[in-house]
Amino acid sequence: MSSSKQTHDHDTIKKWVEKHDGVPAVVADTTDGKGGGLLRIHFPKNSKSSDLKETDWDNFFKVFDDNKLDFLYQEKKADGEESTFHKFVERE
């Protein structure tokens, strides 16, 4: 059985992302020149997406906190395999 977890703890998010070979990113067409934009986690080994722009963790978490977001994520799929499911949700 798979289950999701939700957090806004920066260390937990960073560890999950790095464990899955991900990097912080923003959607390129949404950047505002100040580092803001729609947040994404990019998995470069699995995607060659040209519409994502990698960013640093400081900028990522500034946008994350300014928008009062939580990170919803999954550790394992129902079959027990590692999961990269995640999304950003409004903080409760």
Side-chain angles (χ1 to χ4, degrees), residues 15-69:
K15 285 178 185 175
W16 184 92
V17 171
E18 290 176 348
K19 175 183 175 186
H20 294 90
D21 298 321
V23 294
V26 294
V27 176
D29 290 346
T30 67
T31 58
D32 62 9
K34 300 175 188 170
L38 291 175
L39 296 179
R40 296 291 183 264
I41 301 299
H42 180 51
F43 301 98
K45 290 182 180 179
N46 301 329
S47 169
K48 301 295 183 207
S49 180
S50 61
D51 49 329
L52 295 179
K53 178 181 174 187
E54 289 185 24
T55 189
D56 61 54
W57 282 113
D58 289 337
N59 179 64
F60 178 89
F61 285 124
K62 180 179 181 341
V63 174
F64 182 82
D65 290 336
D66 286 352
N67 287 284
K68 297 179 174 72
L69 297 174

